[in-house]
């Protein structure tokens, strides 16, 4: 009975050649031209035969019509800027030990700067998307990146812990402009069928960065002062600031397209965007993230991701301390060890490059050419089990002081699992709520970093009190339990989305 009803629904939907993206998100996406009347005559298709969702306007001003070279240049720049947030945060993990010696503080006390930075990185994205929906993507990115450079200089030059702590907290609030708004740029530039692979590239950069920071900084600290770790952050941030000038404004109202986009300089500094301020509401722009989080699928995914990513950050922020105290690793040795993160994330990206599309195509064939957003979550089952197994074996490895290469193997597997999970949930929420691309991106960033805030705060004391095997075993149990949220969404997610409806935003007056 259910199958018959869904097929009737599909037939009704396909009688018209018009495509309404919000309807597609609720009822399932169809990109096969053969399933449309007259083989999708009258609809725009890609060079490889997919029906384009959404349908672009007949103007070069529409970012969807920009050349692939320009689109991928913007993606590469956003991925680079997005990586800087956790790269600088990862740098601060390695500088804890020399800073504690210089300022005569405990390592736990200095780690508060890492915790504060993680919290504000999470909050940053929520402000970025609100401001970007009012002032424009480009001027907001330029402003936030400028402040980031300044706070990196402050971090390197700090002469006391209090000054350093303030620098790290403020830095976190401005450094996540690329992370928090990543899906916003993806949605502006790419069509539905392209989303998973584009997301996979950007998330590869984001998930890699907290491992790349400690890796490079370990070698720096082994030969010179910790401040040089942050001078490298300054250099990288300045490069990111320079790259901003190669971006372009992608905020584009398809319902009321502007007659002219103005000069590049006017778009860069926000003068062109200011011409439409009277038609927008800043207050309503700030209300968009609150509307987004009231949607149950968004909230459940955030909880699921929080319960998975927390322990990845927990291991990453404390593994340097464990290896130093238990195995006598030097700073240079830590640098070599952190290659585990690079290898794990690279393997996760490579697997995801093929698996996300493969799973989506298989689901589409089994469901009469229709792809429901919930299909994106199928791949999270094996990935979550990998995370569980990795935590259990990491706990035993530290408890019984197994060879450090065993630790490296399971830490690598943990990175692989979380990379696959991250791309899957980003693609799922973007497919569910294309109108809220920036908002769901910001909340995912908040969930990721706030989970790190929590785990970093409790991890050391938890492990010392219960021992690594029991502490990480409990974390593995929590990770496994989170899978029931995925089961619930796959069973009832579509019904919930129909019941709650779309994200209704009123940024435009």
């Amino acid at each position: 009975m259910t199958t018959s009803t869904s097929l009737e629904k599909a037939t009704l939907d396909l009688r018209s050649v018009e495509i309404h993206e919000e309807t597609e998100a609720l009822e399932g996406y169809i990109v096969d031209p053969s399933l449309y009347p007259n083989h999708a005559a009258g609809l725009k298709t890609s060079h490889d035969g997919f029906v384009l969702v959404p349908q672009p306007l007949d103007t070069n001003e529409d970012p969807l019509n920009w050349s692939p070279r320009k689109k991928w240049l913007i993606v590469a720049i956003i991925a680079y800027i997005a990586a800087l947030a956790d790269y600088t945060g990862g740098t601060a993990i390695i500088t804890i030990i020399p800073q504690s010696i210089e300022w005569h503080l405990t390592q736990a006390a200095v780690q508060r700067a890492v915790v504060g930075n993680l919290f504000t990185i999470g909050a940053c994205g929520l402000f970025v998307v609100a401001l970007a929906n009012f002032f424009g993507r480009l001027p907001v990115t330029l402003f936030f990146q400028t402040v980031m450079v300044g706070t990196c200089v402050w971090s390197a030059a700090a002469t006391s812990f209090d000054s350093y702590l303030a620098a790290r907290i403020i830095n976190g609030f401005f450094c996540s402009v690329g992370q928090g708004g990543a899906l916003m740029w993806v949605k502006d530039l790419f069509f539905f069928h392209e989303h998973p692979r584009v997301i996979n590239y950007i998330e590869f950069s984001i998930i890699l960065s907290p491992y790349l920071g400690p890796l490079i900084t370990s070698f720096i600290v082994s030969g010179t002062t910790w401040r040089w770790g942050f001078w490298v952050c300054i250099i990288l941030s300045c490069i990111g600031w320079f790259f901003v000038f190669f971006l372009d404004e992608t905020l584009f109202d398809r319902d009321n397209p502007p007659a002219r986009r103005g000069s590049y300089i006017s778009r860069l500094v926000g003068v062109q965007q200011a011409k439409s301020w009277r038609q927008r509401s800043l207050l309503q722009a700030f209300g968009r993230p609150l509307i987004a989080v009231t949607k149950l699928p968004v909230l459940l995914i955030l909880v699921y991701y929080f319960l998975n990513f927390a322990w990845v950050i927990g291991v990453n922020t404390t593994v340097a301390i464990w290896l130093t105290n238990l195995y006598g690793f030097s700073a240079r040795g830590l640098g070599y060890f952190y290659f585990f993160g690079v290898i794990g994330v690279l393997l996760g990206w490579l697997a995801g490059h093929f698996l996300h599309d493969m799973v989506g195509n298989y689901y589409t064939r089994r469901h009469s050419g229709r792809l429901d957003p919930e299909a994106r979550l199928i791949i999270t089952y094996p990935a979550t089990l990998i995370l569980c197994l990795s935590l259990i074996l990491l706990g035993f490895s530290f408890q019984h002081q197994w060879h450090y290469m065993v630790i490296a193997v399971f830490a690598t597997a943990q990175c692989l699992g979380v990379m696959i999970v991250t791309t899957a949930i980003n693609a799922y929420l973007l497919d569910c709520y294309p109108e809220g691309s920036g908002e769901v991106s910001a909340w995912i960033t908040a969930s990721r970093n706030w989970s790190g805030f929590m785990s970093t705060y409790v991890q050391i004391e938890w492990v010392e009190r219960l021992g690594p095997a029991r502490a990480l075993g409990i974390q593995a149990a929590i990770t496994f339990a989170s899978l029931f949220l995925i089961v619930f969404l796959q069973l009832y997610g579509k019904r919930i989305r129909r019941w709650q409806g779309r994200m209704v935003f009123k940024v435009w007056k």
Side-chain angles (χ1 to χ4, degrees):
M1 183 68 180
T2 303
T3 304
S4 174
T5 303
S6 64
L7 290 175
E8 288 176 11
K9 183 85 174 161
T11 304
L12 288 171
D13 288 342
L14 297 180
R15 288 175 183 172
S16 170
V17 295
E18 293 185 1
I19 292 180
H20 300 285
E21 188 176 20
E22 294 186 357
T23 302
E24 296 277 309
L26 282 175
E27 304 299 335
Y29 292 85
I30 296 178
V31 294
D32 185 351
S34 66
L35 299 176
Y36 286 85
N38 300 320
H39 206 77
L43 292 177
K44 298 181 178 70
T45 59
S46 65
H47 69 278
D48 47 354
F50 292 106
V51 174
L52 299 180
V53 181
Q55 289 281 287
L57 302 183
D58 294 321
T59 171
N60 290 330
E61 305 294 339
D62 188 345
L64 289 172
N65 290 325
W66 291 352
S67 68
R69 178 180 297 180
K70 183 173 182 177
K71 288 183 179 183
W72 283 103
L73 175 63
I74 292 174
V75 167
I77 293 171
I78 292 301
Y80 177 84
I81 293 174
L84 294 175
D86 286 334
Y87 178 91
T88 57
T91 295
I93 294 171
I94 298 302
T95 61
I96 287 175
I97 295 176
Q99 285 170 335
S100 66
I101 296 171
E102 179 176 330
W103 289 323
H104 306 290
L105 296 169
T106 64
Q107 293 176 15
V110 178
Q111 196 174 30
R112 284 186 297 157
V114 176
V115 174
N117 180 256
L118 280 170
F119 183 84
T120 50
I121 287 175
C124 173
L126 300 174
F127 289 88
V128 165
V129 297
L131 294 171
N133 281 317
F134 186 82
F135 295 102
R137 290 26 169 164
L138 187 55
V140 169
T141 302
L142 177 62
F143 174 73
F144 273 68
Q145 189 63 24
T146 301
V147 179
M148 181 192 177
V149 172
T151 53
C152 283
V153 173
W154 184 2
S155 299
T159 56
S160 68
F161 176 70
D162 289 340
S163 175
Y164 173 77
L165 176 63
R168 300 309 302 143
I169 291 174
I170 297 174
N171 173 269
F173 192 77
F174 287 94
C175 70
S176 189
V177 63
Q179 279 193 29
L183 289 187
M184 184 169 57
W185 294 88
V186 173
K187 179 64 177 64
D188 289 346
L189 291 167
F190 292 91
F191 300 99
F192 162 77
H193 69 279
E194 299 172 311
H195 288 166
R197 286 199 174 184
V198 180
I199 293 171
N200 202 40
Y201 279 108
I202 295 178
E203 293 302 328
F204 167 73
S205 176
I206 294 173
I207 303 300
L208 175 66
S209 58
Y211 299 99
L212 203 57
L215 188 156
I216 294 174
T217 308
S218 293
F219 290 112
I220 293 173
V221 171
S222 69
T224 184
T225 174
W226 63 266
R227 297 182 188 277
W228 263 105
F230 284 101
W231 285 115
V232 171
C233 292
I234 295 167
I235 295 169
L236 296 175
S237 299
C238 286
I239 293 172
W241 182 85
F242 175 73
F243 282 166
V244 171
F245 293 91
F246 292 89
L247 295 174
D248 204 345
E249 180 57 68
T250 61
L251 179 61
F252 185 79
D253 182 19
R254 281 190 182 79
D255 295 326
N256 302 287
R260 293 178 65 253
R261 298 182 72 233
S263 66
Y264 176 77
I265 295 298
S266 68
R267 299 195 300 272
L268 177 68
V269 299
V271 172
Q272 178 65 25
Q273 296 87 328
K275 294 179 180 179
S276 59
W277 283 359
R278 291 183 179 180
Q279 287 78 46
R280 304 180 197 175
S281 167
L282 182 59
L283 181 62
Q284 290 173 355
F286 273 98
R288 289 175 60 127
L290 298 178
I291 294 172
V293 81
T294 62
K295 301 302 181 183
L296 195 55
V298 176
L299 186 60
L300 293 180
I301 284 295
L302 296 179
V303 174
Y304 163 79
Y305 196 43
F306 185 98
L307 297 178
N308 278 265
F309 205 85
W311 321 124
V312 177
I313 294 292
V315 170
N316 186 43
T317 55
T318 53
V319 71
I321 297 174
W322 293 343
L323 290 173
T324 301
N325 296 338
L326 298 178
Y327 292 86
F329 266 56
S330 64
R332 185 176 294 273
L334 288 174
Y336 287 116
F337 188 87
Y338 266 99
F339 273 105
F340 81 84
V342 176
I343 295 171
V345 176
L346 183 61
L347 290 174
W349 167 80
L350 186 62
H353 185 75
F354 301 101
L355 287 177
H356 294 290
D357 283 343
M358 189 184 301
V359 170
N361 292 336
Y362 175 77
Y363 182 94
T364 301
R365 289 195 300 271
R366 295 290 301 271
H367 293 80
S368 305
R370 189 180 295 276
L371 179 64
D372 292 308
E374 283 70 26
R376 303 295 190 194
L377 299 176
I378 294 172
I379 200 171
T380 62
Y381 290 104
T384 307
L385 293 177
I386 290 173
L387 290 172
C388 290
L389 184 62
S390 300
L391 278 169
I392 292 170
L393 294 173
L394 279 170
F396 280 108
S397 299
F398 283 114
Q399 182 79 36
H400 301 292
Q401 295 190 30
W402 293 349
H403 196 278
Y404 59 81
M405 285 305 297
V406 177
I407 298 171
V409 168
F410 295 122
T412 299
Q414 190 184 37
C415 295
L416 183 153
V418 82
M419 178 67 217
I420 294 174
V421 162
T422 300
T423 298
I425 64 165
N426 273 276
Y428 169 67
L429 289 183
L430 182 57
D431 289 354
C432 286
Y433 302 103
E435 70 277 16
S437 58
E439 288 69 29
V440 298
S441 178
W443 279 115
I444 289 171
T445 300
S447 176
R448 175 169 56 232
N449 287 281
W450 288 347
S451 69
F453 166 81
M454 180 276 296
S455 64
T456 304
Y457 202 80
V458 304
Q459 183 84 342
I460 294 177
E461 183 181 348
W462 196 355
V463 170
E464 288 177 348
R465 188 174 70 252
L466 298 181
R470 289 182 62 190
L472 271 66
I474 294 172
Q475 293 169 11
I478 294 172
T479 299
F480 182 80
S482 71
L483 265 180
F484 289 99
L485 297 174
I486 301 298
V487 174
F488 179 81
L489 283 174
Q490 289 208 293
L491 292 175
Y492 303 106
K494 189 171 185 176
R495 290 184 232 178
I496 292 171
R497 289 187 288 110
R498 285 175 175 170
W499 169 62
Q500 287 193 301
R502 314 301 307 150
M503 292 181 185
V504 180
F505 300 131
K506 295 182 180 180
V507 173
W508 295 86
K509 293 181 181 179

